[in-house]
Amino acid sequence: MAEGACGHISAVKKVLGPKERVCDDCVKIGATWVHLRTCQSCGGTHCCDSSPNRHATKHAKASGHPVVASAEHGERWLYCYPDDAFAEY
Ligand SMILES: [Zn+2]
Ligand SMILES: [Zn+2]
Ligand SMILES: [Zn+2]
């Protein structure tokens, strides 16, 4: 996987995509989102920091799952929360 990023990103062998193109938590509360990110530890999909509820960041902090991938069409990148590391793949 991407060289020069962090150990968490290097550990991602196969990037998980979204099971459904929705924010798992926004759906529960009837909220809307801007962009989606998929957690590479559990496969959950959550909304980005441009969204009102920022569920991807909340999920990463609450669960300790470090790496998300963009769940947007045409975007191929990974982001690690604890290291603030970014890598395209
Ligand atoms: Zn990392
Ligand atoms: Zn959300
Ligand atoms: Zn997760």
Side-chain angles (χ1 to χ4, degrees):
M1 191 47 71
E3 298 294 323
C6 68
H8 305 105
I9 287 175
S10 309
V12 176
K13 300 298 179 208
K14 184 173 183 302
V15 176
L16 298 175
K19 296 187 196 82
E20 291 185 75
R21 228 167 261 278
V22 299
C23 172
D24 297 345
D25 291 337
C26 282
V27 164
K28 288 178 201 155
I29 59 173
T32 57
W33 58 84
V34 179
H35 292 127
L36 295 170
R37 312 289 179 235
T38 299
C39 176
Q40 297 301 296
S41 300
C42 67
T45 296
H46 302 99
C47 53
C48 72
D49 281 355
S50 303
S51 309
N53 291 293
R54 302 182 180 186
H55 284 128
T57 298
K58 285 182 188 162
H59 174 76
K61 291 212 164 76
S63 65
H65 296 165
V67 180
V68 293
S70 174
E72 299 300 314
H73 284 293
E75 292 188 7
R76 293 172 62 82
W77 52 259
L78 298 163
Y79 177 75
C80 174
Y81 282 95
D83 294 308
D84 191 26
F86 178 88
E88 297 194 53
Y89 63 89

